[in-house]
Amino acid sequence: MKPPVGPVDGTPAVSVCLHVLKKRADFVRASSARRQGTPGIHLQARKRPEGEAEGIRVGYTCSKKVGNAVARNRAKRRLREVSRAVLPEMGLDGWDYVLVGRKDVTATLPFDTLIADLRRALKKVHA
C-alpha cells in the first residue's frame, strides 16, 4: 500500500512526526515552564536544552476532574487529533508540549473551536 501523498507535488501528507511524551519527568518539566489557558485546552510548553532530544514532543493528560474513564479517554482522543492537525505547522522543533483536558469542555466543544484554541495558545506561548 502506498503512503498518502500531498495534493500537488507528491510529498508525503504527514511530514512531521510527533513524538509522544511518556515519562513523568518530562511532564513535570513542561508544567513548570510556559503555560497558556484557553476555554477548551490548557497548554504547557517548554523549549528543551540543546542535545536533549530532537523534533516536536507532545503529551496529553486529563485528570479525574474531566469525568469518568469514558470522558477522559474521549477528551484525550480529541486532544491527539487537534495536535496532529496543528502542531506540524505551528509547533517548533526542540519544544515539548503538554495538552491538558478541561472539565466538561474538551470532550464536548466543537472540533474547529479546539483547533482555534490550540492555535491561539501556541501563538501566545511562542511570543
Side-chain angles (χ1 to χ4, degrees):
M1 187 170 160
K2 292 182 183 178
V5 294
V8 178
D9 59 355
T11 59
V14 179
S15 60
V16 176
C17 182
L18 300 176
H19 302 282
V20 178
L21 295 176
K22 295 183 180 171
K23 295 183 180 177
R24 183 178 188 279
D26 292 330
F27 283 88
V28 170
R29 281 192 289 263
S31 71
S32 62
R34 299 178 184 180
R35 300 174 187 183
Q36 182 61 46
T38 62
I41 298 172
H42 181 79
L43 176 69
Q44 301 170 343
R46 80 172 184 111
K47 179 156 178 46
R48 293 188 305 271
E50 287 291 321
E52 185 176 328
E54 293 183 9
I56 298 172
R57 299 192 314 177
V58 62
Y60 315 95
T61 185
C62 291
S63 71
K64 287 191 176 183
K65 290 180 185 177
V66 173
N68 62 10
V70 174
R72 289 193 308 272
N73 287 332
R74 180 164 193 244
K76 283 192 277 188
R77 280 195 308 270
R78 297 187 89 213
L79 291 175
R80 280 193 292 273
E81 286 304 313
V82 167
S83 69
R84 284 184 192 127
V86 175
L87 285 179
E89 77 178 65
M90 293 190 70
L92 298 179
D93 191 32
W95 280 70
D96 288 344
Y97 301 100
V98 175
L99 281 71
V100 182
R102 296 249 176 172
K103 179 181 179 182
D104 298 329
V105 179
T106 304
T108 59
L109 208 62
F111 194 71
D112 294 338
T113 307
L114 283 177
I115 288 178
D117 283 351
L118 182 56
R119 287 179 191 275
R120 190 174 337 112
L122 284 169
K123 284 180 187 173
K124 294 231 181 191
V125 164
H126 292 150

